[in-house]
Amino acid sequence: MTDVKGKPCIICVAITGSLPTKANNPAVPITVSEQVESTHEAFEAGATIAHCHVRDDEGKPTSDPERFARLKEGLKMHCPGMIVQFSTGGRSGAGQARGGMLPLRPDMASLSVGSNNFPTRVYENPPDLVDWLASEMLNYGVKPEVEAFDLSHILKAKEMQQKGQLAGTPYVQFVMGVKNAMPADRDVFDYYIRTVERLFGKDAPWCAAGIGPAQIILNDWSVSSGGHARTGLEDNVRLDRDRLAPSNAALVARVVDLCQKYERPVADWRQARQILGLAPPR
Ligand SMILES: [Zn+2]
């Protein structure tokens, strides 16, 4: 564990997602102005990547590029330097609509490279759509974050890198704790890390996200193992069984505490951009 000491840790905050509602937790930001305010608090608490979904006037997930544009502008103004990552996940639209906001050139976008089960449905990522999303990201200079819901998704990222579909070293995020997909399993987690190191090099950065009660577990495993960490109300609306999280910033603060525990500085936005090979803010 000593080798992770002093290594900056990037904190990503997934502010809204597609599923949580005000009924689940009133702190979930739904409108663009709520999203900007919640992200600003999280940024001040130490988050340097904002993982973003947008909602329509009824609070339902949408891929509407106009909303994404407003959110991006708001974040640029109120969180200067912060890395903006748009979701191209499958709950907010179908087919190529999922990538309709990529021409806005966010710093990053999530990219699922394979299919798996979700709690009540199949999370469909057919090969032709994956190829198209990756090519749009290349066209617009958007760095993908590869969402690994399964081991095969890490190997798929390697194949895509070799074929020139992904620029540079892929940034892989392990996702655990989604019902009917990969649970939070320590042996699998360790094998994921070994696989990333084997395929992309010892220094390749990686991240992990846990859903629901797995969030804090994955935060602990990531920070203590030298990875980067994702938190936020998208993945989990509670501090513990009895208490709702009062804000995205409160969830970020839990990761900051873990960074202190394991003697890792929280990466500022300049360090985060450097670690991820991103250009200066745009
Ligand atoms: Zn998301």
Side-chain angles (χ1 to χ4, degrees), residues 28-41:
V28 176
I30 302 292
T31 67
V32 169
S33 59
E34 286 173 346
Q35 289 183 306
V36 171
E37 190 182 336
S38 183
T39 307
H40 180 243
E41 280 176 31

Side-chain angles (χ1 to χ4, degrees), residues 1 4-6 220 223-224 257-264:
M1 217 136 289
V4 308
K5 276 187 193 173
D220 191 293
V223 177
S224 61
D257 288 345
L258 286 169
C259 289
Q260 278 163 4
K261 177 178 169 188
Y262 294 110
E263 300 180 45
R264 295 187 58 189

Side-chain angles (χ1 to χ4, degrees), residues 17 51 53 87 230 234:
H51 171 81
H53 295 241
S87 171
R230 166 164 141 167
E234 167 171 351

Side-chain angles (χ1 to χ4, degrees), residues 118-132:
F118 266 1
T120 58
R121 62 183 192 86
V122 178
Y123 182 31
E124 273 188 71
N125 293 291
D128 56 347
L129 180 61
V130 172
D131 290 346
W132 181 79

